[in-house]
Amino acid sequence: MIIAANLKTNLTREKTISYIQHVENFIEKNALLQEILVFPATSSLHLHNKKVKIGAQNAYHTYNGAFTGEIGYEQLEEFNIKTILIGHSERRHIMGETQESLVKKFNFYKELGFRIVYCVGEPLEVREAGHQHMMEYISKQYDGIDTAYDNLVIAYEPVWAIGTGLTPTLEDIVAIHKELKAKSKAPLLYGGSVKVTNVKEILALDGVDGVLVGSAALYAEHFCTMCQYAQELGK
Ligand code: PGA
């Protein structure tokens, strides 16, 4: 299974150092075998990739160049970053990234062999418009994406569940994951208000290969407990 923490624009570099250290120690002590990914703020990308794989929350599709405010491959390579998150709903909806721009990033980092965690998910109004409409909406987020890429991980994250404490029912997660698995054999994570109290039942579901956790992962102890549960499930 894959257990991923998206720290977003949280934790200073100093706090991230102790966070990663805590998780590293926990993995070591408990001999965890899961794939554990942490996406810290850009200022903490220099932390070493050891047991925890460090990934970038975003990067531009360039080696270098005149792209003010962006980070490119050369800067990631310096820190040995080989993992990237693409298509998170905050990038799509707050930063206004289009499917076209996500595809450019995807293709660029795919050519470089990156592990790509690619996020899809529907806003509330789309879900409320009915299942078929919702699945069509999500399908469009697969447009231009090589779903057979062997270093791909997909994260299904309903936008209305992110940071809200709301989650779909377990039956819904199973049903949607089943449909998404038909589109790609890549490991499929669930994300959106995952926390210590619900992670076990979510991880146990058919078609769930891991979780992408935001708020609840900000506490290293909580994130470690989730990693431990994943190990216990032995999926
Ligand atoms: P959340 O965020 O766990 O706070 O809902 C998940 C995410 O944005 O990946």
Side-chain angles (χ1 to χ4, degrees), residues 65-81:
F67 304 101
T68 302
E70 295 291 334
I71 188 167
Y73 173 70
E74 273 186 8
Q75 290 80 35
L76 297 181
E77 193 200 19
E78 182 182 13
F79 297 142
N80 199 27
I81 303 292

Side-chain angles (χ1 to χ4, degrees), residues 3-5 7 16 19-28 32 34-40 47-55 80-81 83 223-224 227:
I3 311 297
L7 304 182
T16 310
Y19 182 98
I20 305 280
Q21 196 58 57
H22 186 108
V23 180
E24 291 275 356
N25 292 345
F26 188 87
I27 296 174
E28 192 94 46
L32 298 191
Q34 313 300 322
E35 181 176 349
I36 296 176
L37 308 175
V38 175
F39 296 91
L47 299 175
H48 286 293
N49 276 300
K50 289 182 204 147
K51 299 246 183 290
V52 170
K53 248 189 235 167
I54 308 286
N80 199 27
I81 303 292
T83 306
F223 184 59
C224 289
C227 296

Side-chain angles (χ1 to χ4, degrees), residues 113-124:
F114 270 55
R115 186 120 178 97
I116 298 178
V117 180
Y118 181 73
C119 304
V120 299
E122 80 291 351
L124 188 59

Side-chain angles (χ1 to χ4, degrees), residues 2-9 37-42 45 53-61 70-71 76 81-92 95 97 101-107 109-110 114-120 145 149 151-157 162 187 189-192 211-214:
I2 301 168
I3 311 297
N6 176 9
L7 304 182
K8 308 189 182 183
T9 317
L37 308 175
V38 175
F39 296 91
T42 312
L45 286 178
K53 248 189 235 167
I54 308 286
Q57 293 173 18
N58 178 45
Y60 199 64
H61 45 91
E70 295 291 334
I71 188 167
L76 297 181
I81 303 292
K82 297 265 187 276
T83 306
I84 186 170
L85 195 62
I86 296 180
H88 189 279
S89 85
E90 285 147 18
R91 304 271 342 151
R92 290 180 191 265
M95 307 331 176
E97 287 192 20
S101 65
L102 297 174
V103 168
K104 283 187 187 148
K105 288 184 181 185
F106 186 94
N107 287 336
Y109 286 100
K110 176 190 132 183
F114 270 55
R115 186 120 178 97
I116 298 178
V117 180
Y118 181 73
C119 304
V120 299
I145 300 297
Y149 175 47
N151 218 356
L152 170 65
V153 176
I154 295 174
Y156 168 60
E157 299 201 299
I162 295 177
L189 316 184
Y190 168 78
V211 283
L212 176 56
V213 192

